[in-house]
Amino acid sequence: MERPFAITLEVGSSRHNKTGTWRVERPVYVDRLPPCNDACPAGENIQGWLYHAESGDYESAWRKLMEDNPLPAVMGRVCYHPCQTACNRGKLDEEVGINSVEHFLGDLALDKGWMPETAAADTGRTALIIGAGPSGLSAAYHLRRLGHTVTIYEAGANPGGMMRYGIPKYRLPREVLDGEIRRIEAMGVEIVLNHKVNDLAAVLAEKRFDAVFLAIGAEIGKRAYVPAGESARILDAVSFLHSMEGQAPPLLGRRVAIYGGGNTAMDAARTAKRLGATDAVVVYRRTRDRMPAHDFEVEEAVEEGVEMRWLSTVKHADAGKLLLEKMTLDEKGMPTPTGEFEELEADSLILALGQEVDLELLRNVDGVVATDGVVQVDRNMMTGVPGLFAGGDMVPGERTVTVGIGHGKLAARNIDAWLRGTSFSKGGRPELADFDLLNTWYYSDAPQTVRAKLDVARRRSTFDEVVQGLDESNALFEARRCLSCGNCFECDNCYGVCPDNSVIKLGPGLRYEFDYDYCKGCGICAQECPCGAIKMVPESI
Amino acid sequence: MLEQIEGSQAVARAVGLSRPEVICAYPISPQTHIVEALSVAVKSGALEHCEFVNVESEFAALSVAIGASAAGARSYTATASQGLLYMIEAVYNAAGLGLPIVMTLANRAIGAPINIWNDHSDAMAVRDAGWIQLFAETNQDAADLHIYAFRLAEQLSVPVMVNMDGFILTHATERVDLPSQEQVDAFLPPYAPRTYLDPADPVSIGAMVGPEAFTEVRYLASLRQHEALSSIEQIDEEFGEVFGRRPCGFFSSYRMEDAEIVAVAMGSAVGTLKDAVDDMREQGVRVGALGLRTFRPFPADAIRSALSGSRSVLVFERAHSPGFGGQLSADIAATLRSVEPTVHSVVSGLGGRPVTRRSVASAIQASAKGELGLETFLDLDESLLKREVTELGTARRSSATGGAVAQIIESSGPQGAR
Amino acid sequence: MPFQPIKFYQTGSFVVGNRLLSEDQRSVQSSQARTNSLTLGHRACQGCGEALGARYALDAAMRASGNQMVVANATGCLEVFTTPFPETSWQIPWIHSLFGNSAAVGTGIAAALRSKGKQDIRVVAQAGDGGTVDIGFGPLSGMFERNDDVLFICYDNEAYMNTGVQRSGATPPAARTATTDAVGPHPGEDFGKGKNLPLIAMAHEIPYVATATVAELRDLEYKVEKAMSFHGARYIHVLVPCPLGWGSAPSDTIRLSRMAKETGLFPVFEAEGGEVTSVSKIRHRLPVEEYLRPQRRYQHLFRPQPDTQTIGRIQAIADKNISRFGLLNGEPK
């Protein structure tokens, strides 16, 4: 076709006009740290695995999760999910039910028999782990994946530590725990049961292992002094819960009092209820809002008929009854006695006042420092003894399964570095993806899907699991509620909203690039990015 | 085939024979009979593969034609007077875009005062728009020129305006020899646009052009108009071969062999001029007549050679530029800059006043006696004007204005034939 | 909402793309194969809503027509910033004739295609608000009443931006323009003036009329696609913020479009044969202040003191739209 001069132009010829020269600010893609990841004690890349779950690719999601945590099915049940507390979606409607999706993925993996990625090539290095609790198992898993030969010495008859001996079955069915531990064993981790290490110095002296990770937990229940009559029945919660595994359940009587306000107190009270107690009364010296137990644990306990006696201390225990003193909180929130007393009928008293570490095995080891009953470690999780690392409940920190798993991972990475003669560094933490960096208009309103619970009648009488898993469609829904804070999820917004066609879409999984030859720097892409993954930076001349 | 037929009907038939694809029109006298006839032809199915669009204004009429032409369709519209002015923006635009639209202009005066009768003010108002402007002398001419116009427009990618005097031609019944469809098809091939809106080969039409190239665009437009002069000669040849007559040429010449005085006009007045020439020749005045058919492009060289032997050129022009004079005579005068004849502007036939044989003859006589002024208003009603001019002068207390008008009247006085 | 939201996806259907949908369900703009009818290197200002709106609408129309489409464009920003000699940013067959005649040019193109039996090629005519509601109104109304087979798209930025921000028949009350300056006892455009062209279009009872904004891409694409499913005259009115004329941040273009809708000032709806068939509900209702405040054209409403009376009158307009069109959830339509 003829092109009459000037009046008729060849299509697309404006490409000669490089409008990028107009720009004073340039957009750049960033990956910011999502608050969930930031808050996860196990260091999970939650946003990362939810991304796969959103597309229904649960296996990829599970594998992504397994990069950080070998026990998703356990974690999906027992984690107190600080990730959800931090979740930006909570400011929009309700936080994403991360824990429930993890629960779903963990169960699905067990059901499908998915196995972790095979270990890296054998390094020929050996590591001993003492204690097959959360941190020990976690460390073993990660070290094995890194190619090391791992042996665990476990004092108990079964592996799992507090996951087995502290957490009741109705919260964590044992077949789930067993299934996830078996998977670790199948990777080639050797677990030697009934092998209590009484003298670590002797084990170290054998020099059979290139590195040792101590993870014996804190399994001694604290015994506070409670004046008691001879026939008063007093036991500690740790032993009580431990005795639920394989032994004959202890005789508690019809009326049981539990002294303490933590999660263990709730576990003990709920277990007592299930064992047939008509009354299970938690005695706590402060108020509910100051209770260390998590809200949902308290709620579930109350649903099951557990009673609460706030602002009370046990002054005296006798057969069939307790003398309680009423407390009040001073201006600092400290409980102070009032001098008022009351009686509580109770056939037994369970003390749930915290746990201590049995440091006996360290007595002959030089260089390990214990302060306030816990072993001190440096930021590489190493004790004062080179090659001896420690983690979990026996070192300072919050005592939860999740923290333990996090310690195990961190210790494994440091042990790996130690074994290779290098050092491990975590790398810089990216900028946090705060709520106000998001453009939440793009997210459709979708309230959280709550996991169903077993009906209360059955909860009061059986150890069946209370919290039921989500079905696939609900888990998918929940995963899709993720806002993907700070991380591009390829929603194409930047590609679409650029008035200057200056965003290049690279294709699935490859994200985008800016075409700085043409980008005028208007900033619409950054403003309209739902998840805050674009930043405007001034141009320098 | 010879027919006794109204001019408008003849033109409608000629346009129909040219196989237009889109016709759009808005009613305005005196072009209505043409588009009415075409609408019947389309609606009845007699004219196939053609869309007739009843638009809401002349501005839309030509805009629709622009769109249709840009989309590759042979497009036609017709208008007159006020209608032309209402579409004037589009008139320039069509030419600028090089769209070969054919438009009939049933020439009519422009108001106020509103006047539906013939003159050429409308055509003069758009003479600089870049269209080719042809003037029909007779209805045969008018019919032929439309067929011819499509061929010319499409060959050059320039729009063509066929001017025919309102009422005098449009509503006059004459004998017209209308060609057959086979003849027209032989002369006029299907429209093959230079460029058009085609999804298979997209282009952007109608760019904004700044100082860096606008002059060149205008120069090229001018070049194309000059090119049109040779195209006209060539197409004339072909037209003659197919139809056995010449429709155009740049102008018709009548008894010009030894003429000392040449009367010039465009449109239907040319016939009157020929009659007057015959009268004068009988009285021994060496006079001839020249009927200009191609006004734009202006065939300057041909006019110069046709008129250079004469002593005096009388331009009977049906339009007037207030404050200056007649546009046609100005063009002719400019053409004759370096040659002998004196160009006299005879403003005549405005707003439908008849250009009579007698008045034309009196002007020729005055010229022969050397008594014709450079600008003359033919058949001016002096008594009426004298009264008005006096009143004007009194009312405005401006003798200067009155005086100037009076002078013009004085100057045109002796030649006016009552 | 006129389109079915994609349920339960983390970002619903409000983002441009959605990797979880099959290709044919995704927005045109998310496709690597989109036409880019308006391509790189155009000279629109930073953050131009019209450039965005035009690409959104025309790419959708291209997809709906199987790339068989031609476009007639009125004079104005969109024409000037895309086709300064010797470059054009268009990649589709495109013609610019005059300011007031794009509808008529569209009619002519449609007539030509019809006479040639090429009705598979679809025609879009487009203009800014001036070329639509003012100078182009006659030909547009003619195109409507004849039911010519043309989709007319108005990119409404509420004033004559190309000539330096003068008032048009689409300029909203109290807005400052160069010809309705923020001076005198009633600064900005007067109340009670202006044309509501979507309603006028509906009065012609043409097959399809819709309004849209550049903030809701999927809605806009849906409407273009819907419009292309009809033959005859169709009209889409797209609100396109102009950072220059509105005195807003270039990055706020989409945000302001969204707010125009969420306040109720710009009702988003569609109509068939003159009857409203659906409205896009307000998701999170906003008071008009939030929309007005970021725009310098309304600055006089907030300085030195908030002019609560005038803001209240604007709020009343929003409220009227909300009740008239049923823009809140739970209301019919």
Side-chain angles (χ1 to χ4, degrees):
Chain A
M1 210 186 277
E2 206 185 317
R3 306 276 192 263
F5 173 70
I7 295 154
T8 302
L9 302 175
E10 205 63 54
V11 292
S13 43
S14 63
R15 281 190 189 82
H16 293 295
N17 187 33
K18 301 280 172 67
T19 51
T21 54
W22 303 12
R23 194 173 55 239
V24 293
E25 276 191 313
R26 68 165 53 199
V28 289
Y29 289 107
V30 290
D31 281 299
R32 290 184 164 111
L33 183 64
C36 52
N37 294 8
D38 183 50
C40 179
E44 285 185 21
N45 182 356
I46 295 162
Q47 175 274 327
W49 57 256
L50 283 173
Y51 178 82
H52 293 293
E54 284 157 23
S55 62
D57 183 357
Y58 303 121
E59 186 168 349
S60 295
W62 179 78
R63 292 199 182 283
K64 187 80 188 165
L65 205 171
M66 288 288 285
E67 287 176 14
D68 298 299
N69 174 7
L71 306 169
V74 171
M75 195 81 109
R77 290 170 164 86
V78 305
C79 181
Y80 297 119
H81 41 73
C83 52
Q84 293 187 205
T85 311
C87 176
N88 277 333
R89 181 137 205 157
K91 300 193 179 76
L92 194 59
D93 37 39
E94 294 169 277
E95 72 269 18
V96 176
I98 298 165
N99 190 245
S100 62
V101 181
E102 189 170 29
H103 182 162
F104 168 79
L105 291 174
D107 285 1
L108 188 67
L110 287 172
D111 190 43
K112 301 268 183 192
W114 292 332
M115 291 304 289
E117 320 252 311
T118 45
D122 244 315
T123 60
R125 298 288 181 156
T126 57
L128 172 66
I129 291 164
I130 301 174
S135 56
L137 289 167
S138 167
Y141 164 82
H142 286 290
L143 285 167
R144 184 69 203 114
R145 266 166 59 107
L146 292 162
H148 306 299
T149 303
V150 183
T151 303
I152 305 179
Y153 290 164
E154 166 56 41
N158 284 300
M162 289 306 284
M163 295 186 287
R164 183 181 304 276
Y165 297 108
I167 296 172
K169 283 178 188 169
Y170 61 83
R171 281 178 58 205
L172 177 57
R174 297 303 181 245
E175 60 274 18
V176 170
L177 179 63
D178 292 340
E180 295 210 308
I181 295 173
R182 263 199 302 279
R183 218 163 43 204
I184 297 171
E185 288 183 285
M187 291 169 74
V189 169
E190 185 194 6
I191 304 178
V192 184
L193 297 169
N194 299 308
H195 189 111
K196 185 168 165 66
V197 175
N198 290 311
D199 184 359
L200 180 61
V203 173
L204 294 177
E206 287 176 36
K207 294 194 187 300
R208 272 184 57 206
F209 300 99
D210 299 315
V212 176
F213 178 55
L214 266 181
I216 59 169
E219 298 213 331
I220 303 172
K222 273 186 191 164
R223 305 286 301 218
Y225 173 70
V226 176
E230 273 176 31
S231 52
R233 178 154 173 71
I234 300 177
L235 58 168
D236 77 88
V238 179
S239 313
F240 167 57
L241 292 171
H242 194 288
S243 69
M244 295 305 298
E245 284 300 306
Q247 300 169 21
L251 296 171
L252 297 173
R254 284 192 307 108
R255 300 161 305 178
V256 182
I258 301 93
Y259 194 21
N263 291 315
T264 307
M266 297 305 129
D267 288 342
R270 295 172 70 186
T271 300
K273 200 78 190 161
R274 281 167 172 77
L275 286 173
T278 51
D279 299 346
V281 183
V282 171
V283 178
Y284 179 56
R285 48 193 193 130
R286 300 180 218 226
T287 49
R288 171 159 180 178
D289 54 318
R290 291 171 186 273
M291 213 172 188
H294 290 96
D295 275 352
F296 70 90
E297 292 256 35
V298 180
E299 270 165 35
E300 286 176 11
V302 171
E303 282 165 9
E304 291 164 13
V306 172
E307 292 167 52
M308 303 287 165
R309 200 60 69 90
W310 311 114
L311 289 167
S312 302
T313 52
V314 180
K315 293 306 287 183
H316 197 271
D318 267 316
K321 66 179 178 194
L322 301 174
L323 183 67
L324 307 183
E325 181 172 6
K326 302 286 281 177
M327 306 296 279
T328 185
L329 296 182
D330 67 14
E331 63 275 13
K332 287 179 190 164
M334 292 299 290
T336 45
T338 60
E340 287 176 49
F341 296 88
E342 61 182 349
E343 278 196 355
L344 177 69
E345 293 195 349
D347 300 319
S348 55
L349 173 64
I350 299 174
L351 303 178
L353 303 167
Q355 286 136 253
E356 287 171 344
V357 184
D358 183 357
L359 296 169
E360 183 61 18
L361 80 169
L362 290 168
R363 67 188 181 280
N364 295 326
V365 180
D366 287 336
V368 176
V369 180
T371 312
D372 296 334
V374 287
V375 169
Q376 301 300 303
V377 289
D378 62 15
R379 58 188 180 84
N380 297 323
M381 306 298 287
M382 194 156 79
T383 65
V385 178
L388 179 62
F389 297 77
D393 287 358
M394 69 181 293
V395 303
E398 209 187 332
R399 286 173 174 172
T400 67
V401 173
T402 318
V403 169
I405 286 171
H407 281 181
K409 181 177 83 170
L410 184 58
R413 293 192 175 160
N414 282 293
I415 291 167
D416 175 62
W418 163 264
L419 293 174
R420 292 174 197 273
T422 60
S423 68
F424 170 78
S425 90
K426 276 174 123 178
R429 243 170 145 66
E431 197 182 333
L432 196 65
D434 280 331
F435 183 77
D436 52 13
L437 290 171
L438 309 179
N439 189 334
T440 56
W441 189 86
Y442 286 100
Y443 301 102
S444 44
D445 311 312
Q448 198 184 76
T449 315
V450 177
R451 280 175 280 191
K453 286 180 191 163
L454 199 64
D455 70 73
V456 171
R458 287 181 65 201
R459 278 159 60 183
R460 285 176 180 171
S461 57
T462 73
F463 282 85
D464 291 349
E465 188 170 21
V466 171
V467 179
Q468 312 291 299
L470 296 181
D471 64 15
E472 197 256 328
S473 69
N474 285 326
L476 186 66
F477 173 87
E478 206 46 43
R480 290 177 176 188
R481 293 180 65 245
C482 174
L483 308 179
S484 193
C485 306
N487 287 265
C488 174
F489 59 98
E490 300 190 30
C491 73
D492 294 330
N493 250 26
C494 51
Y495 177 62
V497 301
C498 177
D500 300 305
N501 307 30
S502 300
V503 175
I504 301 163
K505 179 175 175 175
L506 299 172
L510 303 174
R511 298 187 171 182
Y512 313 87
E513 263 175 22
F514 289 110
D515 189 343
Y516 293 118
D517 278 351
Y518 298 96
C519 165
K520 294 171 187 165
C522 68
I524 292 181
C525 54
Q527 171 104 300
E528 299 305 323
C529 176
C531 66
I534 300 173
K535 189 175 179 176
M536 297 302 292
V537 297
E539 284 289 346
S540 51
I541 302 156
Chain B
M1 194 175 74
L2 289 175
E3 285 188 51
Q4 191 73 20
I5 191 168
E6 187 201 43
S8 293
Q9 303 302 323
V11 167
R13 293 269 290 278
V15 169
L17 288 167
S18 304
R19 300 189 188 277
E21 291 165 300
V22 174
I23 298 169
C24 39
Y26 184 80
I28 184 169
S29 297
Q31 57 80 45
T32 41
H33 289 185
I34 302 171
V35 293
E36 281 167 9
L38 283 166
S39 82
V40 170
V42 172
K43 200 164 174 64
S44 68
L47 182 50
E48 290 177 307
H49 309 297
C50 181
E51 290 293 311
F52 189 95
V53 187
N54 280 299
V55 290
E56 75 287 347
S57 73
E58 287 87 357
F59 176 61
L62 190 53
S63 296
V64 167
I66 285 170
S69 185
R74 182 170 287 163
S75 308
Y76 170 81
T77 187
T79 193
S81 179
Q82 320 291 142
L84 181 76
L85 296 198
Y86 196 60
M87 66 163 68
I88 194 161
E89 190 188 9
V91 171
Y92 274 74
N93 190 252
L97 294 174
L99 297 171
I101 297 161
V102 171
M103 176 162 72
T104 305
L105 185 64
N107 303 106
R108 169 183 149 181
I110 295 167
I114 188 167
N115 175 307
I116 64 166
W117 309 104
N118 170 248
D119 73 20
H120 293 167
S121 315
D122 50 6
M124 290 303 137
V126 295
R127 65 179 175 166
D128 304 327
W131 286 56
I132 289 173
Q133 286 179 301
L134 307 175
F135 281 79
E137 190 178 316
T138 63
N139 281 340
Q140 182 68 56
D141 244 8
D144 288 348
L145 281 178
H146 279 88
I147 299 164
Y148 183 92
F150 281 111
R151 173 72 193 276
L152 182 61
E154 290 166 13
Q155 185 165 318
L156 295 167
S157 280
V158 176
V160 177
M161 191 183 298
V162 180
N163 291 270
M164 64 189 293
D165 287 338
F167 295 107
I168 300 171
L169 292 181
T170 56
H171 288 57
T173 300
E174 284 186 331
R175 189 183 71 175
V176 177
D177 184 5
L178 283 166
S180 69
Q181 186 67 62
E182 292 70 29
Q183 282 175 303
V184 175
D185 289 348
F187 172 73
L188 180 63
Y191 175 36
R194 173 177 67 165
T195 180
Y196 70 104
L197 296 165
D198 179 9
D201 184 10
V203 287
S204 297
I205 300 175
M208 184 182 77
V209 180
E212 74 278 17
F214 194 82
T215 307
E216 287 67 27
V217 171
R218 280 287 171 266
Y219 181 83
L220 290 168
S222 175
L223 214 57
R224 198 168 285 267
Q225 286 274 336
H226 285 295
E227 199 187 311
L229 292 173
S230 50
S231 298
I232 285 169
E233 289 184 306
Q234 166 240 324
I235 296 170
D236 258 358
E237 292 288 332
E238 290 181 36
F239 190 93
E241 280 165 28
V242 174
F243 299 101
R245 59 179 173 270
R246 295 258 175 119
C248 190
F250 301 136
F251 44 77
S252 61
S253 301
Y254 187 71
R255 302 183 81 168
M256 290 275 286
E257 314 79 47
D258 57 348
E260 290 176 348
I261 301 170
V262 180
V264 178
M266 297 193 295
S268 60
V270 176
T272 311
L273 259 52
K274 287 176 183 168
D275 287 346
V277 163
D278 289 343
D279 293 346
M280 288 296 102
R281 281 275 177 184
E282 276 176 29
Q283 294 174 29
V285 180
R286 283 158 65 178
V287 60
L290 185 148
L292 189 61
R293 282 205 186 94
T294 305
F295 175 59
R296 285 290 181 275
F298 197 70
D301 291 344
I303 288 174
R304 192 181 303 111
S305 65
L307 298 179
S308 56
S310 63
R311 181 169 54 76
S312 183
V313 175
L314 278 61
V315 183
F316 291 82
E317 47 195 336
R318 307 191 89 139
H320 183 252
S321 168
F324 172 70
Q327 298 95 330
L328 179 58
S329 59
D331 286 357
I332 290 173
T335 301
L336 301 179
R337 262 192 297 251
S338 53
V339 288
E340 192 192 349
T342 309
V343 178
H344 301 267
S345 170
V346 186
V347 180
S348 46
L350 297 187
R353 177 167 295 180
V355 181
T356 63
R357 192 170 175 169
R358 203 168 57 146
S359 299
V360 171
S362 76
I364 293 169
Q365 267 170 340
S367 169
K369 293 180 196 154
E371 290 171 359
L372 187 67
L374 285 178
E375 181 175 86
T376 304
F377 280 71
L378 201 61
D379 298 343
L380 215 52
D381 184 340
E382 276 175 57
S383 59
L384 182 149
L385 277 176
K386 274 186 176 140
R387 194 176 68 235
E388 284 303 308
V389 167
T390 314
E391 276 177 18
L392 192 68
T394 316
R396 294 200 181 160
R397 300 181 190 286
S398 159
S399 58
T401 311
V405 174
Q407 243 174 5
I408 292 170
I409 296 167
E410 287 305 318
S411 73
S412 60
Q415 294 79 25
R418 301 292 92 79
Chain C
M1 218 167 274
F3 61 98
Q4 189 62 44
I6 311 308
K7 286 215 174 91
F8 301 157
Y9 178 46
Q10 56 179 345
T11 58
S13 53
F14 304 111
V15 288
V16 168
N18 187 331
R19 67 189 170 95
L20 304 177
L21 293 175
S22 63
E23 285 285 353
D24 61 321
Q25 286 180 290
R26 294 188 200 176
S27 72
V28 176
Q29 284 307 310
S30 72
S31 168
Q32 283 169 289
R34 74 187 187 201
T35 311
N36 285 323
S37 305
L38 179 57
T39 195
L40 295 160
H42 65 71
R43 290 156 196 260
C45 304
Q46 288 153 321
C48 176
E50 190 173 36
L52 193 57
R55 197 190 72 223
Y56 281 179
L58 296 180
D59 282 2
M62 280 293 275
R63 178 149 97 176
S65 68
N67 300 334
Q68 295 299 298
M69 185 179 88
V70 294
V71 174
N73 204 123
T75 308
C77 279
L78 184 57
E79 166 262 327
V80 169
F81 75 65
T82 56
T83 54
F85 168 82
E87 295 158 359
T88 173
S89 312
W90 298 105
Q91 308 213 89
I92 49 176
W94 178 95
I95 184 169
H96 159 243
S97 172
L98 296 167
F99 198 177
N101 73 352
S102 66
V105 172
T107 293
I109 296 168
L113 295 170
R114 205 169 131 92
S115 74
K116 289 172 174 294
K118 293 199 282 192
Q119 279 133 291
D120 56 319
I121 300 175
R122 308 302 302 277
V123 186
V124 173
Q126 55 187 12
D129 48 298
T132 302
V133 313
D134 291 346
I135 195 170
F137 183 64
L140 180 60
S141 178
M143 186 275 267
F144 285 163
E145 63 79 11
R146 290 185 302 268
N147 200 23
D148 294 328
D149 191 11
V150 176
L151 167 60
F152 192 96
I153 304 174
C154 169
Y155 304 106
D156 178 10
N157 54 23
E158 304 186 330
Y160 290 89
M161 301 312 183
N162 190 40
T163 44
V165 197
Q166 294 84 14
R167 181 256 182 211
S168 82
T171 299
R176 189 215 77 92
T177 70
T179 51
T180 57
D181 208 347
V183 293
H186 302 291
E189 166 68 338
D190 296 334
F191 281 78
K193 293 184 178 173
K195 252 180 234 182
N196 187 329
L197 211 79
L199 295 183
I200 296 172
M202 282 164 63
H204 290 77
E205 300 197 357
I206 57 176
Y208 189 71
V209 172
T211 64
T213 77
V214 288
E216 284 180 315
L217 169 72
R218 297 191 68 92
D219 177 68
L220 172 55
E221 288 189 351
Y222 154 84
K223 284 167 177 169
V224 171
E225 198 182 330
K226 182 88 179 279
M228 295 297 279
S229 74
F230 292 93
H231 279 271
R234 292 141 288 146
Y235 179 72
I236 298 180
H237 191 104
V238 188
L239 183 72
V240 291
C242 170
L244 175 84
W246 293 17
S248 55
S251 58
D252 270 352
T253 294
I254 290 178
R255 187 169 81 104
L256 286 173
S257 310
R258 192 153 54 227
M259 290 165 97
K261 182 221 157 190
E262 297 287 86
T263 53
L265 282 174
F266 187 84
V268 177
F269 63 93
E270 59 179 343
E272 291 177 37
E275 302 294 332
V276 173
T277 52
S278 78
V279 302
S280 182
K281 299 283 188 185
I282 290 172
R283 282 181 70 213
H284 305 295
R285 190 178 178 182
L286 295 174
V288 295
E289 287 102 298
E290 290 196 34
Y291 168 70
L292 303 173
R293 198 182 285 273
Q295 304 181 47
R296 274 203 310 282
R297 62 176 173 159
Y298 294 116
Q299 188 173 260
H300 54 278
L301 298 180
F302 299 96
R303 288 187 198 171
Q305 282 84 237
D307 176 356
T308 50
Q309 200 194 342
T310 308
I311 295 170
R313 291 182 77 183
I314 298 173
Q315 184 63 54
I317 294 170
D319 295 346
K320 184 182 166 192
N321 285 336
I322 286 168
S323 68
R324 179 179 195 173
F325 290 95
L327 298 177
L328 292 178
N329 269 314
E331 293 182 15
K333 277 173 190 168

